[in-house]
């Protein structure tokens, strides 16, 4: 059997499991979605959002890209964010990075990778902003781990700098924005930080809204 055929077979078994528990499982699921969380994670195959958080269909609205980047010209990410905040009205946005992230590791190097250079360049900016702290860490693996954390932290702030989040906060709504890092070696999530509407972005990033 070809590997892809196993996926289709597994799907049939999964449907049966769900229907065994509740005969109307899919009918109910098809009605609407009301997820409480937007998950922005790395594309890495070892960090499956639902599995590691014990969530199932209908609970996470998900966007994944290489090294969980928030890039202000990325219409894909921005569309997901706007929809999650304004339509789904999620209560929490979670940026989840992971130790051992290939994107972050490559950003620490100098190899020309073609198009992906442009994407990883944003992580080099994170390095530059925190250069003193990072170069004060002698152990290269510890420096790599710290850059993974700082990368998440910077993306959390970038979310707070978007007009969607600021407008929602000004109107007295959520979301809270969380920065987490997943440890591949243990399976545990490291809860790094949280921003709430009480947190303020630097003045230069602030927007004024008419309503
Ligand atoms: Co990664």
């Amino acid at each position: 059997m070809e590997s892809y055929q196993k996926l289709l077979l597994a799907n049939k078994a999964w449907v049966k499991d769900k229907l065994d528990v509740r005969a109307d499982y899919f009918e109910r699921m098809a009605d609407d979605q009301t997820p409480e969380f937007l998950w922005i994670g790395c594309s890495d195959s070892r960090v499956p959002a639902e599995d590691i958080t014990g969530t199932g269909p209908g609970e996470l609205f998900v966007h994944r890209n290489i090294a969980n980047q928030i890039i202000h010209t990325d219409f894909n990410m921005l569309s997901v964010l706007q929809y999650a905040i304004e339509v789904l009205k999620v209560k929490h946005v979670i940026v989840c990075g992971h130790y051992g992230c290939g994107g972050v590791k490559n950003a620490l190097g100098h190899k020309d990778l073609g198009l992906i250079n442009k994407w990883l360049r944003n992580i080099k900016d994170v390095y530059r902003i925190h250069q003193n702290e990072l170069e004060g860490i002698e152990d290269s693996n510890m420096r790599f781990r710290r850059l993974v954390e700082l990368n998440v932290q910077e993306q959390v702030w970038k979310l707070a700098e978007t007009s969607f989040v600021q407008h929602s906060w000004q109107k007295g709504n959520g979301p809270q924005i969380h920065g987490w890092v997943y440890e591949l070696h243990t399976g545990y999530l490291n809860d790094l930080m949280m921003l709430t509407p009480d947190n303020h972005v630097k003045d230069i990033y602030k927007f004024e809204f008419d309503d």
Side-chain angles (χ1 to χ4, degrees):
M1 191 191 300
E2 299 252 15
S3 59
Y4 77 90
Q5 290 173 312
K6 285 187 195 154
L7 307 189
L8 294 168
L9 263 184
N11 168 254
K12 289 196 175 68
W14 176 76
V15 169
K16 185 176 177 305
D17 283 354
K18 294 292 183 199
L19 293 178
D20 282 349
V21 176
R22 255 198 107 114
D24 63 349
Y25 180 84
F26 292 101
E27 286 306 316
R28 286 162 50 91
M29 196 56 70
D31 273 352
D32 203 1
Q33 64 164 341
T34 53
E36 201 177 313
F37 310 96
L38 166 60
W39 175 276
I40 300 175
C42 183
S43 298
D44 194 296
S45 61
R46 300 165 295 177
V47 194
E50 283 90 354
D51 281 4
I52 67 176
T53 56
T55 49
E59 293 188 80
L60 300 183
F61 198 59
V62 173
H63 179 80
R64 291 169 70 178
N65 62 42
I66 292 176
N68 37 272
Q69 294 296 289
I70 303 300
I71 293 173
H72 291 288
T73 50
D74 176 2
F75 292 126
N76 185 350
M77 179 280 298
L78 290 170
S79 302
V80 170
L81 181 66
Q82 182 179 11
Y83 190 78
I85 291 176
E86 297 181 2
V87 181
L88 299 173
K89 299 190 189 316
V90 296
K91 295 195 178 82
H92 305 272
V93 179
I94 298 157
V95 178
C96 185
H98 65 103
Y99 299 112
C101 182
V104 174
K105 183 154 192 119
N106 277 300
L108 275 167
H110 303 280
K111 195 171 188 307
D112 173 23
L113 300 167
L115 173 68
I116 204 169
N117 293 341
K118 322 292 185 221
W119 192 257
L120 300 182
R121 190 230 130 87
N122 298 285
I123 307 170
K124 289 182 182 285
D125 291 339
V126 175
Y127 185 97
R128 177 176 48 77
I129 294 165
H130 298 279
Q131 188 161 2
N132 287 344
E133 178 187 342
L134 288 164
E135 293 185 357
I137 302 171
E138 285 200 11
D139 182 82
S140 63
N141 190 47
M142 293 307 287
R143 196 182 313 132
F144 174 26
R145 288 174 68 88
R146 184 61 184 144
L147 182 57
V148 166
E149 294 170 354
L150 291 169
N151 177 51
V152 167
Q153 182 182 304
E154 288 297 323
Q155 309 318 311
V156 166
W157 277 106
K158 282 193 201 174
L159 282 170
E161 288 157 12
T162 62
S163 59
F164 309 131
V165 168
Q166 288 184 36
H167 201 181
S168 184
W169 281 3
Q170 185 181 293
K171 288 194 278 192
N173 300 327
Q176 293 180 348
I177 310 175
H178 306 263
W180 296 353
V181 182
Y182 179 69
E183 172 61 86
L184 292 172
H185 292 284
T186 65
Y188 284 114
L189 285 162
N190 180 7
D191 181 359
L192 289 183
M193 67 179 295
M194 175 175 72
L195 295 184
T196 68
D198 296 332
N199 291 99
H200 298 287
V201 298
K202 286 212 169 93
D203 195 60
I204 190 68
Y205 295 120
K206 277 186 191 151
F207 294 105
E208 288 169 3
F209 304 99
D210 294 332
D211 60 322

